[in-house]
Amino acid sequence: AYAVRLESVSKVYGSGKNQVRALDDVTAGFRRGTFTAVMGPSGSGKSTFLNCTAGLDRPTSGRIMLGDVELSGRSETELTEVRRDRIGFVFQAYNLLAALTVADNVTLPVRLAEQPVDPERLSSVLAAVGLSEHRDRRPSQLSGGQQQRVAIARALVNQPDLVCADEPTGALDSHNGRKVLALLRRIVDDLGQTVLMVTHDPVAAAQADTVMFLADGRLAGELTRPAAEQIAE
Ligand code: ADP
Ligand code: ADP
């Protein structure tokens, strides 16, 4: 079963001679419980791809199905709800709230959805990312790698259908980067999560099951379980 499918998705920005075709007839599917890396040169459409797939941006044409929910044609309000309830986001810059504890950052999506916080669910996601001991700390008291693991816990707390990660290791040194990648790998293998990650880093992409290459808004190739040396942009 597919967590998400794109059918002939195109995205055009601007109009007239300023028109840019950021995505050009992309068809792709991501099975549940798989880890996919998206690579490609700057301007190839990676962010547009991730943003359309995650319902942050709307394609100009084509269909996007998140499980059996069609994203295309939904209102902004509906897309906000789908993102909040079904998609977890991890960003390069962590995007944690400095004033909140680890536990309160992690449970923020639950509270935004006006749901009660389940203490067992909180304990289990904190344990999954190895931060049970740090639940009452503030982000400034943690390393970059630990902060990114808080962001991953926050992305998981609503048991999303899809986790979207945009350059999750971009701000980390190689040691912390490796720990974050191992964690993303583990949430796929142990929790059955589906992860879609945009990255420039071949070492990061080598953790994925599949590496998808974009060039000029088109799918330009795919590698399955590649070694880092096989991945070049
Ligand atoms: P990447 O993430 O691979 O660098 P992007 O998806 O950001 O690529 O961009 C793909 C193309 O779309 C580029 O030519 C970029 O300039 C253009 N583009 C992206 N966002 C916008 C926008 N909001 N308005 C106009 N053009 C855009
Ligand atoms: P960029 O790719 O330009 O560096 P980001 O990856 O930080 O930007 O964010 C991409 C988009 O996602 C932005 O429009 C931002 O407002 C939005 N965004 C950031 N965090 C969330 C979130 N938790 N839920 C929904 N949208 C978000």
Side-chain angles (χ1 to χ4, degrees):
Y2 286 106
V4 57
R5 265 183 314 135
L6 291 83
E7 295 169 7
S8 300
V9 169
S10 294
K11 174 71 184 183
V12 179
Y13 290 112
S15 59
K17 64 173 165 34
N18 296 321
Q19 193 166 304
V20 175
R21 189 166 284 270
L23 288 180
D24 188 5
D25 198 23
V26 172
T27 295
F30 305 99
R31 290 183 186 283
R32 290 211 179 94
T34 60
F35 186 176
T36 305
V38 180
M39 299 189 84
S42 186
S44 60
K46 301 182 298 295
S47 300
T48 305
F49 178 85
L50 197 71
N51 289 346
C52 286
T53 305
L56 287 165
D57 202 351
R58 251 185 268 241
T60 310
S61 60
R63 287 212 317 166
I64 298 177
M65 302 288 300
L66 184 68
D68 51 13
V69 175
E70 178 162 3
L71 294 188
S72 8
R74 296 204 170 248
S75 70
E76 209 49 62
T77 317
E78 287 173 321
L79 281 181
T80 304
E81 275 177 26
V82 170
R83 287 200 303 269
R84 192 188 64 199
D85 298 340
R86 308 186 55 157
I87 302 179
F89 291 91
V90 178
F91 299 97
Q92 176 168 348
Y94 326 133
N95 297 8
L96 302 177
L97 295 180
L100 299 186
T101 63
V102 166
D104 287 345
N105 268 286
V106 169
T107 56
L108 196 57
V110 181
R111 288 178 286 127
L112 287 175
E114 295 176 2
Q115 298 297 313
V117 172
D118 174 356
E120 285 184 18
R121 177 87 199 131
L122 171 61
S123 299
S124 94
V125 285
L126 285 175
V129 302
L131 290 174
S132 304
E133 266 88 86
H134 298 321
R135 55 183 292 150
D136 296 322
R137 295 204 180 184
R138 313 269 167 201
S140 61
Q141 298 171 292
L142 302 176
S143 73
Q146 289 172 326
Q147 290 184 58
Q148 192 60 302
R149 281 149 55 202
V150 175
I152 292 170
R154 179 183 57 188
L156 293 175
V157 75
N158 276 343
Q159 298 181 280
D161 295 326
L162 178 68
V163 174
C164 288
D166 194 351
E167 297 280 4
T169 59
L172 299 175
D173 61 33
S174 65
H175 169 77
N176 280 302
R178 274 199 303 275
K179 289 190 75 164
V180 162
L181 288 165
L183 175 58
L184 290 173
R185 186 69 251 174
R186 197 141 38 78
I187 69 173
V188 173
D189 292 340
D190 298 353
L191 306 179
Q193 280 292 335
T194 310
V195 176
L196 201 52
M197 168 179 75
V198 166
T199 185
H200 283 101
D201 178 6
V203 174
Q207 285 295 320
D209 301 307
T210 305
V211 184
M212 190 180 121
F213 296 92
L214 286 175
D216 294 329
R218 291 184 151 260
L219 251 181
E222 221 175 77
L223 286 171
T224 304
R225 288 232 170 243
E229 309 78 66
Q230 286 175 271
I231 304 169
E233 282 201 35

